[in-house]
Structures are given as C-alpha cells and as structure tokens.
Amino acid sequence: MSSMTHLSLFSGVGGLDIAAQWAGFRTVGLCEYADYPYRVLQKRFPGVPIWRDIRTLTGEDFHEQTGLRTVDVVSGGFPCQPFSVAGKRLGKDDDRYLWPEMCRVISEVRPAWVVGENVAGIVSMVEPVGEPELVRAELTLRTDSEVRVYDQRKRYVLAGIVEDLERIGYAVQPFIIPTAGVGANHRRERVAIIAHADRE
C-alpha cells in the first residue's frame, strides 16, 4: 500500500482521485455534496470516508474518521459558478462560493501539497476589498450640499486565493492549462493552483 495519501474535496465522480491512484496515491477521504456523484464515489472507493458537505469537514473529524492528522496532498476543484463567464459572476455573493471552506480545511489538515482547480474566468475576475474610502468631499455651488466621492479598493480573485494560502504558510504558483496541452482538440482552459507547505 502506498504511503502517499490524498484527501479529495469537491470530488465529483472521482476524476482527480483516479488520477491520484494512477500516480501512486491512496485516497483516504472524499467530499461530495451531489447525490449521484456521491453514489459513484461509494462504488469506486468502498470503505473510504465521504463527507457530504465541506462545511462539516474539520481536521479533528478527519482524524477521527481516518486515524490521520495530515495527508501528502489535498486536491479540489472548488465550485466554479461564482467565477465562470457563463454565469453571473457573483463571486462572494454566490452561495456556492466555497473557496474559504477549502482554505479552512487546508489550514486544519496541513497537507504538504495542495492542488486546486477552477475555470479560466477566475483569472480576470476582481472583487472588492475592505470598506470604500472617502477620497474627496466638496460643496456644490448651486445647492450648498456636500458631494462625497468614494473609492473601493479591488483585487483579482486569484490574487486573493494566493494570499489566503500564503497567509497559512504555503508557497503558491497558479498555472493556466488548456486541454489542448494534453491532447484534446479544443482549448478549454483551466487554472491549476499548486501550493507547497513553506517548510524547510
């Protein structure tokens, strides 16, 4: 049995997990909300704990279910709907915005490596940061009323994800990988976020 261990988040029907097996990893935990993929995972990975909701997966519960405190790799294609150009791009205002939950699990399980995946739309999306700041206030000549002008600081969503991982002790590098790069006959770009625990 392999000593390299893998925890899968947002597992779907287990595509990344099958790839992890091919690469010599033992998947020790999965997490999938949707019913059909959950049933597929039960058949493909009998005996492996499966959490239904990432919000209930904690480091302590992971330890209780698996006997492990950490893993070599945590992977997850966190939901893309908040960032996809095919949708409304609501970001944090979308109830499927679950990156903070993935980041929390990473901080509690402390894997050596993290592999995140999402749509290319995440690269161009910006989000507001902090509170709007007053940059100018002036009186209008006609009404004697004050006009206030505010500025809202923004950052790229992907930059925020990188900062989140760096804050909890990971060195991070995002990549854009087109499916054509692995032999498909179309581009269908995906963003891979690779992070390594910033240890000795």
Side-chain angles (χ1 to χ4, degrees):
M1 188 178 289
S2 170
S3 61
M4 295 185 294
T5 52
H6 169 236
L7 170 62
S8 170
L9 308 176
F10 312 107
S11 306
V13 294
L16 278 174
D17 315 308
I18 291 169
Q21 277 186 330
W22 291 345
F25 288 84
R26 178 171 55 99
T27 297
V28 296
L30 302 125
C31 184
E32 177 51 48
Y33 180 79
D35 291 336
Y36 175 73
Y38 173 75
R39 291 194 300 272
V40 172
L41 292 173
Q42 285 180 308
K43 289 185 185 290
R44 285 187 169 165
F45 298 92
V48 176
I50 306 173
W51 284 264
R52 292 303 304 269
D53 188 339
I54 192 168
R55 291 167 288 208
T56 66
L57 171 51
T58 64
E60 198 51 47
D61 191 42
F62 174 77
H63 172 64
E64 288 174 12
Q65 296 284 330
T66 65
L68 300 169
R69 288 285 178 194
T70 190
V71 290
D72 294 294
V73 176
V74 166
S75 72
F78 51 101
C80 66
Q81 293 90 340
F83 321 111
S84 175
V85 294
K88 295 181 180 177
R89 304 189 88 193
L90 296 176
K92 290 179 180 176
D93 294 328
D94 191 312
D95 60 2
R96 296 163 293 188
Y97 184 78
L98 292 173
W99 163 250
E101 291 297 328
M102 181 168 174
C103 190
R104 176 190 55 78
V105 170
I106 293 164
S107 70
E108 293 177 11
V109 175
R110 303 298 304 164
W113 290 91
V114 175
V115 178
E117 181 269 336
N118 216 283
V119 294
I122 200 170
V123 173
S124 62
M125 189 168 171
V126 295
E127 62 186 352
V129 179
E131 295 297 319
E133 296 178 2
L134 180 66
V135 292
R136 190 174 76 246
E138 55 191 40
L139 291 174
T140 61
L141 294 175
R142 282 193 187 172
T143 62
D144 264 356
S145 61
E146 188 177 56
V147 174
R148 292 173 174 254
V149 178
Y150 290 89
D151 184 37
Q152 175 68 64
R153 193 167 73 84
K154 295 184 178 182
R155 70 174 174 195
Y156 285 100
V157 169
L158 186 56
I161 289 169
V162 170
E163 288 172 18
D164 290 344
L165 287 166
E166 288 175 341
R167 188 173 52 254
I168 61 172
Y170 286 82
V172 190
Q173 179 64 62
F175 299 89
I176 296 177
I177 304 171
T179 55
V182 291
N185 61 359
H186 56 95
R187 284 194 63 80
R188 196 167 186 250
E189 292 178 331
R190 285 291 183 268
V191 174
I193 302 162
I194 310 299
H196 184 257
D198 198 5
R199 308 173 186 144
E200 289 182 22

